[in-house]
Amino acid sequence: MRSLRPLLFTVFLVASLLGNGWAEAARPRHAAGLNWNAVTSSNGSVPWNIVLLLTLLTLLPAVLVAVTPFTRLLIVFHFLRQALGTQTAPSNQTLIGLSLVLTYFLMQPVGASIYAAAVVPYEHGQIDAWVAIDQGAPPLRHFMLKFAREKDLALFLEMAQAPRPSRPEDVPMRVVVPAYILSELKTGFQIGAALFLPFLVIDLVVAAVTTSVGMLQLPPVVISTPLKIMLFVMVDGWNLLVGSLLKSFA
């Protein structure tokens, strides 16, 4: 059973995102035992529940990226690579892998809360799958609301024509998720712009020096790139950057 915990966590994380609306729509109308004669209809078509499940599995990677810190982390790492001027070092696979590992590190408390609130009672037969989905949604909603800006939440509440909620727990998931994504994009770009500033100063100084001494045939990037890499390594840049990113989610 322990080997199934990561899978159960993933399924409930995605199902919790869908909110009560989709869960209610997919809830079986009869609570009796499974009728195997109804697995396929008279014309052999697949039931809608199976179609919905396969659709969720297809959207699983995109959904997990949208509701986790993965977006902010990857944007910052790509900005760092552009600022250093190293083009393809580190590679995209390295940056994505690092972002995934840090995402798991940051989301582990949320996953533990979902597991304790939804998966454990479901494993012991205390609740059914749909009640487990309802109980697994609050930890994920609380995490996203913590980093979603009020301006973005107000925008999607207005577009959804939804009444202003009296409590954060009343904000629907279809409002929280896009607001969280927009907030993460803005935060990632803000951190990336701040990363550019020290390296931009080095580029300007090198360009001014090479121009003043008449080295017009030598591109400034040939000199500035090693200097920027040396500076980044000397100040232990990876430790500082990753530590700052993790602290931003504290």
Side-chain angles (χ1 to χ4, degrees), residues 72-84:
R72 182 193 301 190
L73 297 172
L74 190 59
I75 289 176
V76 172
F77 290 147
H78 276 284
F79 268 105
L80 173 65
R81 188 173 64 181
Q82 293 295 325
L84 289 173

Side-chain angles (χ1 to χ4, degrees), residues 42-86:
S42 59
N43 58 359
S45 62
V46 181
W48 284 110
N49 287 345
I50 298 180
V51 174
L52 179 61
L53 176 61
L54 294 177
T55 303
L56 294 181
L57 292 177
T58 303
L59 299 175
L60 181 62
V63 172
L64 290 180
V65 169
V67 301
T68 62
F70 180 84
T71 301
R72 182 193 301 190
L73 297 172
L74 190 59
I75 289 176
V76 172
F77 290 147
H78 276 284
F79 268 105
L80 173 65
R81 188 173 64 181
Q82 293 295 325
L84 289 173
T86 55

Side-chain angles (χ1 to χ4, degrees), residues 163-188:
R164 187 177 182 88
S166 58
R167 302 179 305 167
E169 293 78 10
D170 297 334
V171 182
M173 277 292 192
R174 70 189 187 108
V175 172
V176 176
V177 175
Y180 172 78
I181 296 174
L182 285 186
S183 301
E184 287 295 283
L185 288 173
K186 179 177 181 180
T187 304

Side-chain angles (χ1 to χ4, degrees), residues 56-132:
L56 294 181
L57 292 177
T58 303
L59 299 175
L60 181 62
V63 172
L64 290 180
V65 169
V67 301
T68 62
F70 180 84
T71 301
R72 182 193 301 190
L73 297 172
L74 190 59
I75 289 176
V76 172
F77 290 147
H78 276 284
F79 268 105
L80 173 65
R81 188 173 64 181
Q82 293 295 325
L84 289 173
T86 55
Q87 302 300 323
T88 58
S91 63
N92 289 332
Q93 292 81 357
T94 303
L95 296 181
I96 292 175
L98 179 59
S99 300
L100 285 174
V101 171
L102 294 178
T103 299
Y104 169 77
F105 179 83
L106 292 169
M107 293 297 294
Q108 195 276 334
V110 180
S113 300
I114 295 176
Y115 184 82
V119 180
V120 171
Y122 177 74
E123 287 179 346
H124 290 81
Q126 300 174 359
I127 56 177
D128 60 16
W130 307 109
V131 176

Side-chain angles (χ1 to χ4, degrees), residues 162-242:
R164 187 177 182 88
S166 58
R167 302 179 305 167
E169 293 78 10
D170 297 334
V171 182
M173 277 292 192
R174 70 189 187 108
V175 172
V176 176
V177 175
Y180 172 78
I181 296 174
L182 285 186
S183 301
E184 287 295 283
L185 288 173
K186 179 177 181 180
T187 304
F189 273 77
Q190 287 176 335
I191 299 175
L195 280 175
F196 256 101
L197 294 179
F199 300 111
L200 180 61
V201 172
I202 296 177
D203 287 332
L204 293 176
V205 171
V206 171
V209 171
T210 55
T211 303
S212 62
V213 298
M215 301 173 62
L216 301 179
Q217 300 300 325
L218 181 64
V221 68
V222 176
I223 301 176
S224 63
T225 298
L227 293 177
K228 290 187 290 186
I229 296 176
M230 290 176 57
L231 175 64
F232 188 72
V233 173
M234 289 176 58
V235 300
D236 198 5
W238 285 110
N239 183 278
L240 293 175
L241 178 60
V242 172

